[in-house]
Amino acid sequence: MGNAYPTSGNRKHRFGPSTVHDDEDEGPDSDVSAALASLLEENVRLRALVVQLSDLVLKNVVARK
């Protein structure tokens, strides 16, 4: 059974850094786009942390056996 998330060695993210530019104020739509990009970036970071935590747990379980 494979990992649903990329491993720490394979950090290709589906969503890269935000491409929203703050050069021009485009109103509420740009605010929503910036908030969405921020949420997607945070999601990527949290998924990477889940993978790291899972790896630590699995290493500790294997070490006890």
Side-chain angles (χ1 to χ4, degrees):
M1 184 164 142
N3 254 343
Y5 305 108
T7 60
S8 57
N10 183 10
R11 293 190 180 221
K12 288 185 178 179
H13 301 300
R14 183 174 174 194
F15 301 101
S18 174
T19 57
V20 177
H21 298 288
D22 294 330
D23 296 342
E24 300 175 27
D25 185 23
E26 296 180 14
D29 287 340
S30 68
D31 292 340
V32 171
S33 296
L36 179 60
S38 176
L39 285 172
L40 292 172
E41 290 172 1
E42 182 66 14
N43 190 356
V44 168
R45 285 190 291 273
L46 290 172
R47 286 176 182 258
L49 288 173
V50 167
V51 169
Q52 288 178 359
L53 180 60
S54 298
D55 289 343
L56 287 171
V57 168
L58 288 174
K59 286 177 186 176
N60 286 326
V61 168
V62 170
R64 289 184 185 173
K65 288 185 178 182

